[in-house]
Amino acid sequence: IVAASPVTQAVFEMARRVATSNANVLISGESGTGKEVVARFIHCESRHRDGPFVAINCSAIPENLLESELFGHAKGSFSGACERKLGLFEEAENGTIFLDEIGDMSLVLQSKILRVIQERKIRAVGDNRQRDINARVIAASNKNLLEEVRSGKFREDLYFRLNVVPIPVPPLRERKEDILRLAENALNKLASSGKAALKTFSPEATLFLVN
């Protein structure tokens, strides 16, 4: 974790404080700002640290498959379902499930996520039984979810359920003190793997990075 700038330090201080609770967390920020890094930090600092950390990018999976990925499916529930499949909520039992880019989820699936958060139970696709789950929920989005609520694209009730503790992650252009440290970390990894001969940046390269 690189936190050389005061704004980044404030982000991780908030993450450290909320980690000790079971409160739902909504991490917001542009793509590439490190939202999953913050989520993993919360998990590692929490009482769930010995459990799994399960992450899913909700925008990367087709809508017709996302429900099965999250909640699992029963044997024979659809063509090709040859056996029961555990969903990610079950895989995250006693740990943390990270719902990345939740703003891209359909309204129908949002309602099912809301029910899971409220009841702490899931129902697999094609199954009549409900199963208890015990996983902390951390969500993230690169969208302004409050604006999505106002435009009718995101459920207001789910937004307030997720946004118990909001953690905005600023873009790198607003925390320039981190740039050189991040670049040095990347260079050190390349050097240690034998993919780079350099172990430091020239004064000209350093000046370019920080400006």
Side-chain angles (χ1 to χ4, degrees):
I1 293 172
V2 173
S5 69
V7 290
T8 309
Q9 291 170 8
V11 166
F12 283 100
E13 178 57 29
M14 173 62 76
R16 183 179 288 106
R17 288 165 58 189
V18 74
T20 58
S21 73
N22 281 321
N24 296 330
V25 178
L26 180 60
I27 305 170
S28 59
E30 298 175 12
S31 296
T33 52
K35 297 187 291 295
E36 185 170 338
V37 173
V38 176
R40 286 184 180 273
F41 178 81
I42 293 172
H43 171 74
C44 291
E45 293 288 314
S46 75
R47 67 190 69 176
H48 301 286
R49 66 176 66 90
D50 294 328
F53 178 90
V54 178
I56 180 171
N57 187 326
C58 299
S59 66
I61 299 176
E63 183 62 32
N64 61 327
L65 299 178
L66 186 54
E67 182 176 0
S68 176
E69 283 294 311
L70 290 169
F71 307 131
H73 61 249
K75 180 179 180 180
S77 56
F78 53 84
S79 177
C82 302
E83 58 184 7
R84 182 178 183 272
K85 176 185 180 297
L86 288 180
L88 296 183
F89 272 96
E90 289 175 284
E91 290 185 15
E93 185 70 9
N94 297 319
T96 301
I97 184 166
F98 176 54
L99 304 175
D100 197 9
E101 305 306 350
I102 196 170
D104 294 326
M105 188 179 287
S106 71
L107 288 169
V108 172
L109 202 47
Q110 287 176 33
S111 67
K112 295 182 180 182
I113 294 292
L114 176 65
R115 190 175 301 116
V116 171
I117 292 174
Q118 291 175 331
E119 301 177 2
R120 311 301 296 175
K121 296 177 183 291
I122 62 162
R123 178 177 293 169
V125 175
D127 197 346
N128 293 325
R129 295 172 296 172
Q130 288 189 325
R131 301 175 187 273
D132 294 331
I133 58 105
N134 177 34
R136 183 177 192 169
V137 176
I138 300 177
S141 180
N142 62 5
K143 297 180 177 180
N144 185 325
L145 289 188
L146 190 55
E147 289 184 2
E148 296 290 294
V149 168
R150 290 167 180 161
S151 63
K153 297 177 182 178
F154 200 83
R155 291 182 62 108
E156 183 178 24
D157 45 7
L158 178 58
Y159 171 75
F160 285 112
R161 282 283 185 175
L162 294 172
N163 197 42
V164 176
V165 180
I167 300 183
V169 182
L172 199 55
R173 62 181 176 272
E174 295 179 10
R175 44 189 177 101
K176 291 186 176 182
E177 297 94 331
D178 294 336
I179 293 176
L180 186 58
R181 289 279 300 279
L182 287 167
E184 288 172 342
N185 280 358
L187 184 60
N188 288 335
K189 287 181 180 179
L190 287 172
S192 62
S193 66
K195 295 180 180 179
L198 295 175
K199 294 185 178 181
T200 186
F201 292 101
S202 68
E204 295 81 5
T206 298
L207 187 63
F208 178 81
L209 286 169
V210 298
N211 291 315

